[in-house]
Amino acid sequence: MVEEVYDVAIIGGGPAGMTAGIYAGRAHLKACILEGMSTGGQMFTTAVIENYPGYDSIDGPALTQAMEEQVRRWDVKILYMHVTGLKRQADLFAIEVLSGETIHAKTVIAAAGSKPRRLGVPGENEFQGRGVSYCATCDGAFFRGKSVAVVGGGDSAVEEGLYLTRFVDKVTIIHRRDQLRASRHLQERAFANPKIEFIWDSVVEAIEGHQAVEQLRVKNVKTGAVTTLPADGVFIYVGMLPNSEFLQGVVELDPWGYVVAGEDTVTSEPGIFAAGDIRTKSLRQIVTAVADGAVAAMAAEKYLGERGL
Ligand code: NAP
């Protein structure tokens, strides 16, 4: 016997999920947001956001708090539950969560985002929290006056590398090619920053130390030469992996695990919509995530209306 049924269950409380919540609440849908950690997702752990309209610069936690307050004003429940599985049960979706409970909903908006990809080298697991980090906002201040390495060449690596220069004496960005992927203006700022150095065409082979990180073994992929870089910490920004495990076998995923859905957020399974970084899309940003959240909530409302649910 199903006791409580939501019109829409939103999985993930990042910018996509919270916006879907605001739109669902405004449409008088009975909505909940299922969030496994804390709201905001990657936005929460971003130090400085300079490309969200209306704010020249705002920190991730502040923007997260503003969005969460707005969600709560629309009577949308935020349930701190980690979703492990999802299946259709007649007209409803049964959403399994880690605590063993099941949440029932007529529609689902998958907005679970993505997580940092790991390097997969010796020392990475061993030294996590003892010099290995995936979040400069969280851990940067622990490295005041020290030398750190950043691995990666995308927007995240360069942006967070720049942020780290507030605390540390030296940031060495290690990139596997000789050209950055990051946007031009971030590149220019990094090249102009005297605290930032680059090691090009190189990959980290191992992270070494005793109690904490002390050095990295770095291999030049062109020459094969292996060198040692002293570092008190290493921040890893080598891309993201979608949090779509709970959707395997439920909706179509692309070869990288992203949920296949167009701008209309419609997935291969009627009644399930995908919003934000979890979806196949060309630009993963807060602004595109919030846009998806709005579209998905309206798509869910239309789906319910058309079926008289
Ligand atoms: P990304 O754009 O996918 O970049 C990942 C970087 O890591 C690339 O430079 C890649 O090298 C490198 N890499 C991947 N696997 C590696 C490995 N095994 N070893 C060494 N290096 C490896 O990821 P991201 O920087 O996390 O950004 C994710 C998305 O968020 C992007 O769409 C980005 O534009 C967006 N974002 C935007 C902003 C902003 O607008 N300010 C800030 C942060 C993120 P290659 O270049 O050789 O592939």
Side-chain angles (χ1 to χ4, degrees), residues 76-117:
V76 173
K77 266 195 206 166
I78 299 177
L79 306 171
Y80 289 94
M81 294 176 166
H82 180 82
V83 173
T84 53
L86 171 62
K87 55 177 183 267
R88 191 179 262 289
Q89 259 177 12
D91 277 349
L92 297 179
F93 292 102
I95 303 161
E96 291 143 18
V97 302
L98 199 58
S99 60
E101 284 168 74
T102 304
I103 306 293
H104 293 93
K106 296 173 190 169
T107 62
V108 169
I109 295 176
S114 55
K115 58 179 168 289
R117 180 185 291 147

Short mmCIF file of all heavy atoms in Angstrom, two decimals, residues 76-117:
data_model
loop_
_atom_site.label_atom_id
_atom_site.label_comp_id
_atom_site.label_asym_id
_atom_site.label_seq_id
_atom_site.Cartn_x
_atom_site.Cartn_y
_atom_site.Cartn_z
N VAL A 76 8.33 22.97 -1.18
CA VAL A 76 8.90 21.74 -1.76
C VAL A 76 9.74 21.10 -0.68
O VAL A 76 10.60 21.74 -0.07
CB VAL A 76 9.77 22.08 -2.99
CG1 VAL A 76 10.50 20.85 -3.50
CG2 VAL A 76 8.89 22.69 -4.08
N LYS A 77 9.50 19.81 -0.42
CA LYS A 77 10.24 19.11 0.63
C LYS A 77 11.64 18.77 0.14
O LYS A 77 11.79 18.25 -0.97
CB LYS A 77 9.54 17.79 0.97
CG LYS A 77 8.58 17.89 2.11
CD LYS A 77 8.23 16.48 2.58
CE LYS A 77 6.87 16.49 3.23
NZ LYS A 77 6.33 15.16 3.40
N ILE A 78 12.64 19.04 0.96
CA ILE A 78 13.99 18.57 0.64
C ILE A 78 14.27 17.40 1.57
O ILE A 78 14.28 17.55 2.80
CB ILE A 78 15.04 19.69 0.81
CG1 ILE A 78 14.72 20.85 -0.14
CG2 ILE A 78 16.45 19.14 0.53
CD1 ILE A 78 15.64 22.05 -0.02
N LEU A 79 14.41 16.21 1.00
CA LEU A 79 14.64 15.00 1.79
C LEU A 79 16.09 14.58 1.60
O LEU A 79 16.54 14.38 0.46
CB LEU A 79 13.70 13.88 1.31
CG LEU A 79 12.21 14.21 1.27
CD1 LEU A 79 11.42 13.11 0.57
CD2 LEU A 79 11.69 14.43 2.69
N TYR A 80 16.82 14.44 2.71
CA TYR A 80 18.23 14.07 2.58
C TYR A 80 18.35 12.56 2.49
O TYR A 80 18.46 11.86 3.48
CB TYR A 80 19.04 14.68 3.74
CG TYR A 80 19.14 16.18 3.55
CD1 TYR A 80 18.23 17.04 4.16
CD2 TYR A 80 20.06 16.72 2.67
CE1 TYR A 80 18.28 18.41 3.93
CE2 TYR A 80 20.12 18.08 2.43
CZ TYR A 80 19.22 18.92 3.06
OH TYR A 80 19.27 20.26 2.81
N MET A 81 18.28 12.08 1.28
CA MET A 81 18.27 10.64 1.01
C MET A 81 19.10 10.38 -0.24
O MET A 81 18.98 11.11 -1.23
CB MET A 81 16.84 10.17 0.74
CG MET A 81 15.93 10.28 1.95
SD MET A 81 14.27 9.82 1.47
CE MET A 81 13.53 9.61 3.08
N HIS A 82 19.88 9.32 -0.20
CA HIS A 82 20.71 8.96 -1.35
C HIS A 82 19.97 7.90 -2.17
O HIS A 82 19.66 6.82 -1.68
CB HIS A 82 22.06 8.42 -0.86
CG HIS A 82 22.95 8.02 -1.98
ND1 HIS A 82 23.72 8.93 -2.68
CD2 HIS A 82 23.18 6.82 -2.55
CE1 HIS A 82 24.38 8.29 -3.62
NE2 HIS A 82 24.08 7.01 -3.57
N VAL A 83 19.68 8.23 -3.41
CA VAL A 83 18.91 7.32 -4.27
C VAL A 83 19.82 6.21 -4.79
O VAL A 83 20.90 6.46 -5.31
CB VAL A 83 18.27 8.11 -5.44
CG1 VAL A 83 17.62 7.15 -6.44
CG2 VAL A 83 17.26 9.11 -4.90
N THR A 84 19.35 4.97 -4.66
CA THR A 84 20.14 3.82 -5.13
C THR A 84 19.50 3.12 -6.33
O THR A 84 20.18 2.42 -7.07
CB THR A 84 20.31 2.79 -3.99
OG1 THR A 84 19.01 2.46 -3.48
CG2 THR A 84 21.18 3.34 -2.87
N GLY A 85 18.20 3.29 -6.50
CA GLY A 85 17.55 2.60 -7.61
C GLY A 85 16.20 3.21 -7.93
O GLY A 85 15.66 4.02 -7.16
N LEU A 86 15.69 2.82 -9.09
CA LEU A 86 14.45 3.41 -9.57
C LEU A 86 13.76 2.40 -10.45
O LEU A 86 14.40 1.80 -11.32
CB LEU A 86 14.83 4.66 -10.37
CG LEU A 86 13.76 5.39 -11.17
CD1 LEU A 86 12.70 5.92 -10.25
CD2 LEU A 86 14.41 6.56 -11.92
N LYS A 87 12.48 2.14 -10.21
CA LYS A 87 11.76 1.27 -11.16
C LYS A 87 10.30 1.70 -11.29
O LYS A 87 9.75 2.37 -10.41
CB LYS A 87 11.87 -0.20 -10.76
CG LYS A 87 11.42 -0.55 -9.36
CD LYS A 87 11.55 -2.08 -9.21
CE LYS A 87 11.06 -2.53 -7.87
NZ LYS A 87 12.09 -2.63 -6.85
N ARG A 88 9.74 1.31 -12.44
CA ARG A 88 8.33 1.65 -12.66
C ARG A 88 7.46 0.62 -11.94
O ARG A 88 7.76 -0.58 -11.98
CB ARG A 88 8.04 1.63 -14.16
CG ARG A 88 6.70 2.21 -14.51
CD ARG A 88 6.47 2.19 -15.99
NE ARG A 88 6.75 3.47 -16.65
CZ ARG A 88 6.01 4.56 -16.53
NH1 ARG A 88 4.97 4.58 -15.74
NH2 ARG A 88 6.31 5.65 -17.20
N GLN A 89 6.42 1.12 -11.26
CA GLN A 89 5.45 0.23 -10.61
C GLN A 89 4.07 0.70 -11.05
O GLN A 89 3.57 1.69 -10.52
CB GLN A 89 5.55 0.36 -9.08
CG GLN A 89 6.32 -0.76 -8.43
CD GLN A 89 6.46 -0.53 -6.93
OE1 GLN A 89 5.80 0.31 -6.33
NE2 GLN A 89 7.34 -1.30 -6.32
N ALA A 90 3.52 0.02 -12.05
CA ALA A 90 2.25 0.43 -12.64
C ALA A 90 2.36 1.89 -13.10
O ALA A 90 3.25 2.23 -13.86
CB ALA A 90 1.10 0.22 -11.66
N ASP A 91 1.52 2.79 -12.54
CA ASP A 91 1.53 4.19 -12.98
C ASP A 91 2.56 5.03 -12.24
O ASP A 91 2.68 6.22 -12.51
CB ASP A 91 0.15 4.80 -12.72
CG ASP A 91 -0.81 4.47 -13.83
OD1 ASP A 91 -0.34 3.95 -14.86
OD2 ASP A 91 -2.02 4.71 -13.66
N LEU A 92 3.24 4.42 -11.30
CA LEU A 92 4.14 5.19 -10.44
C LEU A 92 5.60 4.78 -10.65
O LEU A 92 5.88 3.73 -11.21
CB LEU A 92 3.79 4.96 -8.97
CG LEU A 92 2.42 5.42 -8.50
CD1 LEU A 92 2.24 5.08 -7.03
CD2 LEU A 92 2.24 6.92 -8.73
N PHE A 93 6.49 5.63 -10.16
CA PHE A 93 7.89 5.25 -10.07
C PHE A 93 8.20 4.99 -8.60
O PHE A 93 7.80 5.78 -7.73
CB PHE A 93 8.79 6.35 -10.61
CG PHE A 93 8.66 6.54 -12.09
CD1 PHE A 93 7.93 7.59 -12.61
CD2 PHE A 93 9.26 5.64 -12.96
CE1 PHE A 93 7.78 7.75 -13.98
CE2 PHE A 93 9.13 5.78 -14.33
CZ PHE A 93 8.38 6.84 -14.84
N ALA A 94 8.90 3.90 -8.35
CA ALA A 94 9.34 3.57 -6.99
C ALA A 94 10.83 3.90 -6.92
O ALA A 94 11.63 3.35 -7.68
CB ALA A 94 9.09 2.11 -6.69
N ILE A 95 11.16 4.82 -6.03
CA ILE A 95 12.55 5.27 -5.91
C ILE A 95 13.12 4.71 -4.62
O ILE A 95 12.62 5.00 -3.54
CB ILE A 95 12.61 6.82 -5.90
CG1 ILE A 95 11.95 7.38 -7.18
CG2 ILE A 95 14.04 7.31 -5.77
CD1 ILE A 95 11.55 8.82 -7.05
N GLU A 96 14.15 3.86 -4.79
CA GLU A 96 14.76 3.24 -3.60
C GLU A 96 15.88 4.13 -3.08
O GLU A 96 16.67 4.65 -3.86
CB GLU A 96 15.32 1.87 -3.97
CG GLU A 96 14.25 0.86 -4.28
CD GLU A 96 14.65 -0.09 -5.41
OE1 GLU A 96 15.85 -0.19 -5.70
OE2 GLU A 96 13.73 -0.70 -5.98
N VAL A 97 15.92 4.29 -1.76
CA VAL A 97 16.99 5.11 -1.17
C VAL A 97 17.80 4.27 -0.19
O VAL A 97 17.38 3.19 0.24
CB VAL A 97 16.43 6.39 -0.49
CG1 VAL A 97 15.64 7.24 -1.48
CG2 VAL A 97 15.58 6.05 0.72
N LEU A 98 18.99 4.79 0.12
CA LEU A 98 19.98 4.02 0.88
C LEU A 98 19.44 3.50 2.22
O LEU A 98 19.76 2.39 2.64
CB LEU A 98 21.21 4.91 1.12
CG LEU A 98 22.51 4.21 1.48
CD1 LEU A 98 22.92 3.22 0.40
CD2 LEU A 98 23.62 5.24 1.67
N SER A 99 18.57 4.26 2.86
CA SER A 99 18.06 3.86 4.17
C SER A 99 17.08 2.69 4.08
O SER A 99 16.63 2.16 5.09
CB SER A 99 17.36 5.05 4.83
OG SER A 99 16.29 5.46 4.00
N GLY A 100 16.72 2.30 2.83
CA GLY A 100 15.81 1.16 2.66
C GLY A 100 14.39 1.59 2.36
O GLY A 100 13.55 0.76 2.00
N GLU A 101 14.12 2.88 2.54
CA GLU A 101 12.76 3.37 2.24
C GLU A 101 12.51 3.43 0.74
O GLU A 101 13.45 3.40 -0.06
CB GLU A 101 12.59 4.79 2.79
CG GLU A 101 12.42 4.86 4.29
CD GLU A 101 12.57 6.29 4.76
OE1 GLU A 101 11.64 7.07 4.52
OE2 GLU A 101 13.62 6.63 5.32
N THR A 102 11.25 3.56 0.37
CA THR A 102 10.89 3.75 -1.04
C THR A 102 10.01 4.99 -1.15
O THR A 102 9.06 5.16 -0.38
CB THR A 102 10.13 2.52 -1.58
OG1 THR A 102 10.96 1.36 -1.37
CG2 THR A 102 9.83 2.65 -3.05
N ILE A 103 10.37 5.86 -2.09
CA ILE A 103 9.59 7.07 -2.34
C ILE A 103 8.80 6.84 -3.64
O ILE A 103 9.37 6.32 -4.61
CB ILE A 103 10.53 8.29 -2.53
CG1 ILE A 103 11.49 8.45 -1.34
CG2 ILE A 103 9.74 9.58 -2.80
CD1 ILE A 103 10.87 8.80 -0.03
N HIS A 104 7.53 7.21 -3.64
CA HIS A 104 6.72 7.00 -4.84
C HIS A 104 6.37 8.33 -5.50
O HIS A 104 6.04 9.30 -4.79
CB HIS A 104 5.44 6.24 -4.49
CG HIS A 104 5.71 4.83 -4.06
ND1 HIS A 104 5.90 4.46 -2.74
CD2 HIS A 104 5.88 3.70 -4.80
CE1 HIS A 104 6.16 3.17 -2.68
NE2 HIS A 104 6.15 2.68 -3.91
N ALA A 105 6.47 8.34 -6.81
CA ALA A 105 6.16 9.57 -7.53
C ALA A 105 5.59 9.25 -8.91
O ALA A 105 5.87 8.19 -9.47
CB ALA A 105 7.42 10.41 -7.68
N LYS A 106 4.78 10.20 -9.40
CA LYS A 106 4.19 9.99 -10.73
C LYS A 106 5.19 10.33 -11.84
O LYS A 106 5.12 9.78 -12.93
CB LYS A 106 2.95 10.89 -10.87
CG LYS A 106 1.83 10.52 -9.90
CD LYS A 106 0.70 11.55 -9.99
CE LYS A 106 -0.30 11.35 -8.87
NZ LYS A 106 -1.24 12.49 -8.78
N THR A 107 6.08 11.28 -11.56
CA THR A 107 7.13 11.61 -12.53
C THR A 107 8.45 11.79 -11.76
O THR A 107 8.45 12.02 -10.54
CB THR A 107 6.85 12.93 -13.30
OG1 THR A 107 6.81 13.99 -12.34
CG2 THR A 107 5.54 12.88 -14.07
N VAL A 108 9.54 11.69 -12.52
CA VAL A 108 10.87 11.83 -11.91
C VAL A 108 11.68 12.82 -12.75
O VAL A 108 11.65 12.76 -13.99
CB VAL A 108 11.60 10.47 -11.88
CG1 VAL A 108 13.07 10.65 -11.51
CG2 VAL A 108 10.92 9.51 -10.90
N ILE A 109 12.36 13.72 -12.07
CA ILE A 109 13.35 14.56 -12.75
C ILE A 109 14.72 14.16 -12.23
O ILE A 109 15.02 14.32 -11.04
CB ILE A 109 13.07 16.06 -12.51
CG1 ILE A 109 11.73 16.45 -13.14
CG2 ILE A 109 14.22 16.91 -13.10
CD1 ILE A 109 11.30 17.89 -12.87
N ALA A 110 15.52 13.58 -13.12
CA ALA A 110 16.87 13.16 -12.73
C ALA A 110 17.80 14.37 -12.89
O ALA A 110 18.01 14.86 -13.99
CB ALA A 110 17.34 12.02 -13.62
N ALA A 111 18.28 14.86 -11.75
CA ALA A 111 19.14 16.05 -11.77
C ALA A 111 20.31 15.82 -10.81
O ALA A 111 20.66 16.69 -10.02
CB ALA A 111 18.33 17.29 -11.36
N ALA A 112 20.87 14.61 -10.91
CA ALA A 112 21.87 14.20 -9.91
C ALA A 112 23.29 14.66 -10.23
O ALA A 112 24.22 14.37 -9.46
CB ALA A 112 21.83 12.68 -9.75
N GLY A 113 23.46 15.34 -11.37
CA GLY A 113 24.76 15.96 -11.64
C GLY A 113 25.88 14.97 -11.90
O GLY A 113 25.66 13.86 -12.39
N SER A 114 27.08 15.40 -11.55
CA SER A 114 28.25 14.56 -11.82
C SER A 114 29.25 14.71 -10.69
O SER A 114 29.12 15.59 -9.83
CB SER A 114 28.87 14.97 -13.16
OG SER A 114 29.15 16.35 -13.17
N LYS A 115 30.23 13.83 -10.68
CA LYS A 115 31.24 13.86 -9.60
C LYS A 115 32.63 13.92 -10.24
O LYS A 115 32.80 13.54 -11.40
CB LYS A 115 31.10 12.62 -8.71
CG LYS A 115 31.22 11.32 -9.46
CD LYS A 115 31.09 10.14 -8.51
CE LYS A 115 30.91 8.83 -9.25
NZ LYS A 115 29.61 8.63 -9.89
N PRO A 116 33.63 14.34 -9.45
CA PRO A 116 34.97 14.44 -10.05
C PRO A 116 35.51 13.07 -10.48
O PRO A 116 35.35 12.09 -9.76
CB PRO A 116 35.83 14.98 -8.90
CG PRO A 116 34.90 15.47 -7.87
CD PRO A 116 33.60 14.76 -8.06
N ARG A 117 36.11 13.05 -11.66
CA ARG A 117 36.79 11.83 -12.11
C ARG A 117 38.11 11.70 -11.33
O ARG A 117 38.76 12.70 -11.04
CB ARG A 117 37.08 11.94 -13.60
CG ARG A 117 37.79 10.71 -14.15
CD ARG A 117 38.16 10.90 -15.60
NE ARG A 117 37.00 10.91 -16.46
CZ ARG A 117 36.90 11.63 -17.57
NH1 ARG A 117 37.87 12.43 -17.93
NH2 ARG A 117 35.83 11.55 -18.31
#
